């Protein structure tokens, strides 16, 4: 809640790019927008110390998340990433999936309230199924229904996922039965 906006995010990004041994950064609620997301993503390319990054409620939008993901793909140390309430949409979800397919350290991802829907869930699931580090995925309140849930089920067989938050989506009893059945067959 510091009112950083894009220019403040760019200044923080310079600091991140210098790899100053910072392990955790919470920039939530700062309205950094598309340009701020791009700056932080670029800084992640050269950062080798940051483990946890929180960018919730920053008006990233689909384009901001896509730009952020270009840098995320080149980072190998980030373990926790929270991007909730940034209007990532289907394109942002796909960009995250593409970058995380190569990412070897991210274990926790929060994407709640991003308007991902079935289309974004399918795009994300098709890409991230190759990721072997993600353990917990939080997709609450994303308007995900049967098609999106099926994409997640397809992803589960190949990735290392152990926790999935689907609270407040558009799943019915049949979807829940299918999901529970798949979870019971998971190979831990």
């Amino acid at each position: 809640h510091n009112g950083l906006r894009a220019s403040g995010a760019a200044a923080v990004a310079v600091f991140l790019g210098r790899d100053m041994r910072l392990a955790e950064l919470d920039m939530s609620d700062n309205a950094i927008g598309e340009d701020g997301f791009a700056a932080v993503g670029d800084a992640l390319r050269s950062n080798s110390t940051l483990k946890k990054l929180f960018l919730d409620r920053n008006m990233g939008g689909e384009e901001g998340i896509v730009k952020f993901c270009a840098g995320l793909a080149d980072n190998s140390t980030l373990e926790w990433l929270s991007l909730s309430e940034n209007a990532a949409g289907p394109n942002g979800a796909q960009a995250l999936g593409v970058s995380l397919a190569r990412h070897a350290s991210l274990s926790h991802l929060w994407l709640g309230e991003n308007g991902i829907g079935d289309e974004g869930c399918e795009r994300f699931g098709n890409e991230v199924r190759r990721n072997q580090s993600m353990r917990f995925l939080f997709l609450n309140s994303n308007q995900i229904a049967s098609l999106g849930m099926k994409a997640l089920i397809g992803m589960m067989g190949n990735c290392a996922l152990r926790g999935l938050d689907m609270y407040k989506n558009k799943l019915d009893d049949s979807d829940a039965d299918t999901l529970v059945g798949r979870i019971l067959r998971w190979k831990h």
Side-chain angles (χ1 to χ4, degrees):
H1 299 292
N2 292 305
L4 290 178
R5 308 240 181 257
S7 59
V12 171
V14 168
F15 175 77
L16 279 178
R18 291 187 181 145
D19 215 13
M20 306 291 281
R21 304 209 188 288
L22 185 67
E24 183 173 334
L25 177 60
D26 187 342
M27 291 176 56
S28 298
D29 297 301
N30 277 290
I32 67 172
E34 183 179 321
D35 292 339
F37 270 90
V40 173
D42 284 343
L44 286 177
R45 292 179 197 274
S46 59
N47 183 284
S48 62
T49 60
L50 194 65
K51 303 290 183 196
K52 296 180 181 181
L53 178 59
F54 302 90
L55 294 170
D56 304 312
R57 297 170 301 282
N58 269 306
M59 301 185 296
E62 286 185 291
E63 287 303 311
I65 299 299
V66 168
K67 290 176 180 179
F68 171 80
C69 289
L72 176 64
D74 293 331
N75 178 277
S76 61
T77 58
L78 197 63
E79 296 172 359
W80 289 37
L81 175 60
S82 188
L83 297 171
S84 294
E85 299 181 53
N86 275 297
N91 291 332
Q94 182 177 7
L96 277 163
V98 168
S99 66
L100 295 178
R102 300 183 347 197
H103 205 280
S105 63
L106 196 76
S107 63
H108 292 69
L109 178 62
W110 285 267
L111 291 175
E113 298 185 50
N114 268 298
I116 291 170
D118 283 344
E119 181 184 357
C121 203
E122 284 183 291
R123 291 181 187 183
F124 177 81
N126 287 337
E127 297 296 340
V128 83
R129 70 180 57 214
R130 295 180 295 272
N131 179 291
Q132 293 298 308
S133 64
M134 191 181 325
R135 301 287 187 260
F136 299 94
L137 177 60
F138 303 86
L139 291 170
N140 59 293
S141 305
N142 269 298
Q143 303 150 352
I144 298 167
S146 295
L147 291 174
M149 190 233 11
K150 288 176 184 165
L152 290 173
I153 287 173
M155 175 187 84
M156 289 178 193
N158 299 317
C159 73
L161 197 63
R162 295 293 172 255
L164 176 64
D165 180 348
M166 294 292 291
Y167 178 68
K168 287 184 114 177
N169 278 289
K170 295 182 175 182
L171 303 177
D172 60 24
D173 289 344
S174 175
D175 297 328
D177 287 344
T178 302
L179 185 58
V180 168
R182 178 60 184 112
I183 290 169
L184 291 175
R185 290 190 304 275
W186 260 351
K187 293 180 179 121
H188 298 280

